[in-house]
Amino acid sequence: MSDLYVGYLKTPGAHKALLRVVLPLVIVLFAVVAAAVSAQMRDPGEAVWDIASSKQWTGRLVEDPFPMLITDEGEAVLIVEIGKFGALPRLQDHIGKRVTLEGFPLERDGRKMIELLEGDDAFVSISDDAGRAFENVVGDEPVAMVGEIVDGKCFLGAMKPGDGKAHKACAVLCIRGGLPPMVRTRDEAGAWIYPLLMVDGSTDLPDRVLDLIAEPVRIEGALGRVGDLWVISCDGECVRPYPDLAGP
């Protein structure tokens, strides 16, 4: 009769010999597979979400086309709440004022966002002085760009990666909740840029455009700028799947 394994008895000699060979091979195999899978994963980029310590920003609070702080240097810093929510309801009474806000910073490639602290401490100081004027250009320069619609908060650092089809459901939920839709695309020099997307005059995207999140799209619209933030505005019919438009 062959040896059997019983947990409370000594391991049979034949089993010990087999395990000495099989277990190291299994460990090596898992290590090789893990390394191969990791090598195939794309780099999520240098997005940062610093929740270890809060930071303060001072500037003028604006809501059009999306709640943001315009610093004295003309830098546009988008503002959101903790979680998947926009910050406009809490900021509404302070639009147009000079404020100091406190929150957690998110950043990718120089594009910044504030995740507001909870409670009244998020507004460190508020005055009616709007501060230095800033350039506000939501222009009419015709433009066509190819890229991917992403939700700004996840893409700027809350998730890594915060784009691609694996992130589609989360991105749709975030944008429905009031987070800023952005377009991940390249400028003429090949550098990544992330303009804010407005459809039919709003950053609240219609269902037809929400369905195209995380897919390659071509957007034909007008390019403008608020502070240092590029904005592309168009109607819903000007956002179309890119593969369907690809020529020979």
Side-chain angles (χ1 to χ4, degrees):
M1 182 176 179
S2 62
D3 293 334
L4 297 175
Y5 171 75
V6 180
Y8 55 83
L9 297 179
K10 291 183 177 180
T11 304
H15 288 190
K16 287 183 178 180
L18 178 64
L19 291 174
R20 290 192 188 101
V21 175
V22 171
L23 286 181
L25 290 177
V26 170
I27 293 172
V28 171
L29 178 61
F30 275 128
V32 170
V33 170
V37 171
S38 298
Q40 294 299 316
M41 296 179 66
R42 62 187 175 88
D43 185 353
E46 299 298 327
V48 175
W49 184 24
D50 184 3
I51 58 175
S53 58
S54 60
K55 182 180 176 181
Q56 293 183 355
W57 292 262
T58 298
R60 179 182 176 187
L61 193 60
V62 300
E63 66 172 323
D64 185 22
F66 189 86
M68 65 184 78
L69 193 73
I70 307 296
T71 69
D72 290 341
E73 293 75 28
E75 183 179 42
V77 186
L78 300 165
I79 308 171
V80 298
E81 294 280 13
I82 292 175
K84 299 179 181 294
F85 305 102
L88 184 57
R90 191 148 57 117
L91 299 174
Q92 189 69 67
D93 293 339
H94 310 292
I95 298 299
K97 296 180 180 180
R98 183 173 176 78
V99 301
T100 299
L101 302 180
E102 185 170 0
F104 302 113
L106 299 95
E107 180 177 357
R108 181 192 287 266
D109 296 335
R111 183 81 275 133
K112 298 178 181 179
M113 177 180 287
I114 303 169
E115 183 186 54
L116 280 179
L117 292 180
E118 295 179 330
D120 296 336
D121 291 342
F123 299 91
V124 176
S125 66
I126 300 176
S127 73
D128 291 329
D129 175 17
R132 196 181 77 181
F134 65 94
E135 187 177 8
N136 183 349
V137 182
V138 179
D140 55 3
E141 178 186 345
V143 67
M145 60 178 61
V146 174
E148 175 188 344
I149 301 171
V150 297
D151 78 270
K153 183 175 182 180
C154 287
F155 186 69
L156 293 183
M159 296 286 287
K160 293 182 71 176
D163 60 337
K165 293 185 179 181
H167 190 254
K168 183 181 180 78
C170 180
V172 171
L173 185 62
C174 287
I175 293 175
R176 285 189 186 277
L179 297 183
M182 305 177 79
V183 183
R184 179 177 182 264
T185 186
R186 293 185 185 272
D187 62 15
E188 294 180 352
W192 286 110
I193 58 171
Y194 314 112
L196 191 70
L197 175 62
M198 295 179 64
V199 176
D200 298 327
S202 174
T203 55
D204 295 328
L205 303 185
D207 288 343
R208 179 187 176 282
V209 178
L210 287 172
D211 289 341
L212 296 175
I213 287 175
E215 307 287 345
V217 294
R218 177 182 172 89
I219 303 173
E220 297 179 4
L223 189 64
R225 188 172 68 246
V226 179
D228 69 342
L229 174 65
W230 290 107
V231 180
I232 182 169
S233 56
C234 63
D235 61 51
E237 297 304 316
C238 288
V239 181
R240 293 189 282 175
Y242 179 61
D244 291 350
L245 301 178

